[in-house]
Amino acid sequence: MKKAISVLVIFVLISCGATKTTNSTTALYEVLTEQSSGGGNIRFFEILTEPNEIKMLQNDPILADKMKNADINNSNYVILNMGEKNTSGYSIAVEKVEETDKNIIITVKENAPASDAMVMQMISYPYTVVKVHSKKEIIVK
């Protein structure tokens, strides 16, 4: 009887352990950086798919440690630039990312400071850089 219970306990522990194992490489995207300043003067979304374009991102000290050479061939990168803002408190973020058979759809959310928020009166250039773990066509909404 003890042997049967021991076998049952071992089976339960093994099966529980198997269901808790996750693969971290299954994430569709990752936000490499979200900055309140440092972006461009105009609002734009740039999708980088070519290796020579992607390699230019590696020159950015904020991104250099977050990019691997293998990612250049396996991933696309998206620069979400909010443009010039007259105060601090603005940001641009990824709301959701969906994968279809043919493409990746990124929904962007632009955030403004609350009307009663205390903000610094300074010019800011919010931007976000996203790595998409796919080479499918990207659509930004």
Side-chain angles (χ1 to χ4, degrees), residues 3-122:
K3 199 173 195 179
I5 292 174
S6 298
V7 169
L8 183 60
V9 168
I10 290 172
F11 177 74
V12 169
L13 289 174
I14 290 172
S15 64
C16 288
T19 58
K20 292 182 181 179
T21 303
T22 58
N23 187 352
S24 63
T25 61
T26 58
L28 183 56
Y29 75 99
E30 96 183 74
V31 175
L32 297 182
T33 188
E34 190 173 316
Q35 299 291 320
S36 60
S37 200
N41 293 347
I42 59 170
R43 182 181 181 270
F44 67 88
F45 305 141
E46 185 172 1
I47 300 164
L48 306 177
T49 60
E50 297 298 317
N52 59 338
E53 296 172 324
I54 295 168
K55 284 184 179 183
M56 290 190 313
L57 286 179
Q58 291 177 315
N59 294 329
D60 186 321
I62 295 172
L63 301 174
D65 293 341
K66 299 176 183 180
M67 297 178 67
K68 299 178 183 88
N69 284 332
D71 295 335
I72 292 172
N73 297 319
N74 305 333
S75 301
N76 287 328
Y77 292 80
V78 182
I79 300 171
L80 307 170
N81 195 67
M82 199 169 181
E84 183 177 296
K85 299 299 172 193
N86 291 328
T87 67
S88 64
Y90 287 89
S91 66
I92 186 164
V94 174
E95 188 170 57
K96 67 180 175 176
V97 177
E98 302 168 283
E99 183 173 23
T100 68
D101 291 341
K102 297 181 180 168
N103 52 40
I104 307 289
I105 301 167
I106 299 176
T107 304
V108 173
K109 182 176 184 184
E110 295 184 359
N111 302 303
S115 58
D116 61 347
M118 296 286 292
V119 293
M120 292 178 57
Q121 297 299 313
M122 60 179 256

